[in-house]
Structures are given as structure tokens and as C-alpha cells.
Amino acid sequence: MPSQGNITEVVAHPVRLRVLQAVGGRDLTTAQLRELMTDVPQATLYRHIAALVDAGVLAVASERRIRGTVERTYTLGEQMAHVEKAELETLSDEQIRASFLAFIGELLRTFESSLSQSEAIRSHLGFGTGALYVDEEDLTRIQQGFNELIAPYLHEAADKRRVMLSTVLLPTE
């Protein structure tokens, strides 16, 4: 099992990435995760959930007894599956490439799922790329502002639709 110290190693696995994206901003039980990931064998799903909990990326929000067994509800943990700049700097090109490919794979799976949704949901689908011209100070300010902008929308609310927002920052020079 991956060590707690290397979050990238933990998160890079496609099944773990799917679990994190499923939980993102809401609490889900293991049964709910199984319903969302019918293509993943139950034992495999449980093993990956355990790895995420061990790494502090997922946390047990609550437990309740159901017919002699304990059902756990999971939420994002303290680590929040966010790879810090300092950790990225310690990774090899191959490790970063593998992590990015896992991210892209899950993004494609989510995209494919979006295409099969109703027209109302598809109307919110969008993607694009644009160039920004920034120095380090500008980039820090943009990232902080972006985090502040989206903070109110990161948690599930009964009257809100869940959408996935993915960002990629790629230096080109």
C-alpha cells in the first residue's frame, strides 16, 4: 500500500481518483460508492478506499450499525488529494506523467458520462484553453483568487446541481 507521505502515489490510481471525484464536496457511504462504480469489484473498491483513508485523503465522517455490520460514510480528509508544489518537485517526470494520465483518464470517463445525460445537463458542458501571461506573483494572486471564488461552491447543497470543474496549468515556455 502507498505510504502516507506520497499523496501523488496514492491518488494516481484510476479507481482511487474516481472515488475522490465521487466524494468531492459530499459525504458518501460505501454502498453509495458501489452504486456509482458498478464496474469495480467490491473487494477492489474497499481496498482502494482503505488506501485513501490510510493516506488521510479520505476520512470516515460517520459510522452506523446495519444488520450486524458497520456502514461507514466517507468525506474528503485533511490531505484533500491536493499535491503541493514541494511534493511535485520531488517527483520524477515519469511519476508526474502517470499522475497526469490518471487524471486525464478520469476526466475522459466523466466527460463520456456527461454526454449521455439529458440536454439540460449537457447545456452546462464546456471546455477550452487560453493563454495567460503572468509572472510568479500574478500566478499566486490568480490561484488564491480562484480558490476564494470557488470556496462557497465546494459542498453539496440540496438545491444545487453537482458539476465537475477540472483545471490544468501547463507552462509552455
Side-chain angles (χ1 to χ4, degrees):
M1 192 169 297
S3 67
Q4 184 173 0
N6 191 340
I7 297 305
T8 305
E9 182 182 331
V10 174
V11 175
H13 192 282
V15 172
R16 293 181 195 145
L17 189 59
R18 286 177 63 190
V19 168
L20 292 173
Q21 289 187 333
V23 172
R26 59 186 175 171
D27 296 349
L28 294 176
T29 65
T30 48
Q32 290 168 318
L33 285 166
R34 280 195 323 267
E35 288 172 16
L36 292 170
M37 300 181 178
T38 57
D39 59 316
V40 179
Q42 183 174 328
T44 300
L45 180 61
Y46 287 176
R47 186 175 68 249
H48 288 296
I49 289 170
L52 291 167
V53 170
D54 288 348
V57 177
L58 269 188
V60 177
S62 64
E63 295 180 331
R64 67 181 181 136
R65 290 208 80 47
I66 299 178
R67 293 187 288 275
T69 188
V70 175
E71 179 181 64
R72 291 181 176 91
T73 300
Y74 295 96
T75 191
L76 289 179
E78 291 299 314
Q79 296 278 5
M80 297 284 290
H82 179 75
V83 181
E84 297 294 332
K85 184 178 179 179
E87 182 175 353
L88 275 174
E89 291 172 352
T90 68
L91 300 176
S92 70
D93 288 352
E94 192 56 38
Q95 289 172 310
I96 292 172
R97 187 175 292 108
S99 298
F100 186 71
L101 286 174
F103 168 79
I104 293 297
E106 181 55 20
L107 183 62
L108 181 58
R109 190 196 66 74
T110 303
F111 175 78
E112 291 291 338
S113 175
S114 295
L115 290 179
S116 67
Q117 302 298 315
S118 71
E119 195 59 38
I121 292 173
R122 286 181 65 170
S123 68
H124 294 281
L125 178 66
F127 50 90
T129 299
L132 301 176
Y133 297 89
V134 299
D135 58 23
E136 288 296 317
E137 199 173 290
D138 296 331
L139 189 54
T140 299
R141 192 170 37 258
I142 289 168
Q143 289 173 323
Q144 289 172 343
F146 181 74
N147 290 340
E148 290 172 16
L149 176 68
I150 67 171
Y153 311 104
L154 294 177
H155 300 285
E156 187 173 27
D159 61 335
K160 303 289 183 174
R161 170 182 290 155
R162 186 171 191 257
V163 299
M164 298 302 289
L165 174 66
S166 299
T167 61
V168 177
L169 184 64
L170 298 171
T172 58
E173 297 173 4

